[in-house]
Amino acid sequence: MQQAVAVAIKYDNDDPDVEPLMALFDQTFLTRFNTRLIRGGDEPVYLPADDQTPYHQVVFAHGYFSSALHEIAHWCIAGQQRRLLEDYGYWYCPDGRDATQQREFEQVEVKPQAIEWAMTIAANRRFQVSTDNLNGAEPDRESFTRRVRAQLLSYLHSGFPPRAALFINALREKFNGPELNQAWLDKEYPQ
């Protein structure tokens, strides 16, 4: 389904673009939304401001650039009330999901992963969907990729959520990413 990766994908926590990404997020959102992007440990999490920390935190795993974009995408679609709750008030079903749980997981992941895909391209990197179930039911990766792609095309035609659009533009400026449109997507990610 996807072509060979032409760009080296950076996954280690020594990625030199992580610090600039964190700074870009803070520059874009700290003043208006009192929210910072924070390098974390094993598990990503969203933490609203509290008595100990006066700002909201989008915490991504291990300093991975891709984890940061994924968590930012979730933040970009969370409503104002959800952003007052730890992990937006959602319960996360961890790795090891059965087939039904995996379908439910993928259903709620379509929109954030479509936004993550656009952000990844804007950051001049290569995207790959995450089915996040290494020790559970075998996911249908191609079907999930098609659903995420369809949502990305929908966003391209109807517009991204406002915070997502703002950050996609900031990423493109910072990392010299290409202008994303359907023609570019069809060329670089043919079905």
Side-chain angles (χ1 to χ4, degrees), residues 114 118 147:
R147 291 194 312 275

Side-chain angles (χ1 to χ4, degrees), residues 1-9 126-128 187-190:
M1 175 154 177
Q2 291 191 0
Q3 297 175 335
V5 176
V7 177
I9 299 174
R126 195 86 182 155
F127 178 76
Q128 186 173 352
K187 178 179 162 260
E188 295 296 319
Y189 292 87

Side-chain angles (χ1 to χ4, degrees), residues 10-78:
K10 301 173 184 176
Y11 287 109
D12 63 333
N13 58 4
D14 293 329
D15 187 332
D17 290 334
V18 168
E19 292 298 327
L21 176 66
M22 293 168 62
L24 182 65
F25 183 90
D26 289 359
Q27 173 188 345
T28 307
F29 297 118
L30 181 57
T31 301
R32 183 161 178 211
F33 294 98
N34 192 36
T35 304
R36 300 196 64 205
L37 182 61
I38 307 294
R39 182 190 319 251
D42 288 338
E43 293 297 325
V45 65
Y46 172 77
L47 300 170
D50 60 21
D51 293 339
Q52 286 75 39
T53 308
Y55 51 84
H56 309 296
Q57 301 173 72
V58 176
V59 181
F60 64 104
H62 297 291
Y64 296 144
F65 195 95
S66 59
S67 175
L69 292 183
H70 184 81
E71 297 311 312
I72 293 166
H74 277 285
W75 179 80
C76 284
I77 60 176

Side-chain angles (χ1 to χ4, degrees), residues 17 20-22 24-25 28-29 37 65 68-70 72-73 76 115-125 163-178:
D17 290 334
L21 176 66
M22 293 168 62
L24 182 65
F25 183 90
T28 307
F29 297 118
L37 182 61
F65 195 95
L69 292 183
H70 184 81
I72 293 166
C76 284
I115 291 170
E116 178 189 355
W117 195 336
M119 288 180 181
T120 302
I121 291 167
N124 216 1
R125 291 177 177 238
R163 282 173 285 140
L166 183 64
F167 201 60
I168 289 165
N169 289 331
L171 286 164
R172 186 177 302 114
E173 288 179 23
K174 177 71 176 173
F175 295 104
N176 301 310

Side-chain angles (χ1 to χ4, degrees), residues 61-103:
H62 297 291
Y64 296 144
F65 195 95
S66 59
S67 175
L69 292 183
H70 184 81
E71 297 311 312
I72 293 166
H74 277 285
W75 179 80
C76 284
I77 60 176
Q80 185 175 359
Q81 292 304 311
R82 289 273 182 198
R83 293 192 315 269
L84 298 176
L85 304 171
E86 183 172 330
D87 258 351
Y88 314 109
Y90 293 115
W91 176 76
Y92 174 71
C93 186
D95 186 2
R97 294 180 289 275
D98 63 28
T100 300
Q101 292 169 324
Q102 183 63 23
R103 280 191 301 277

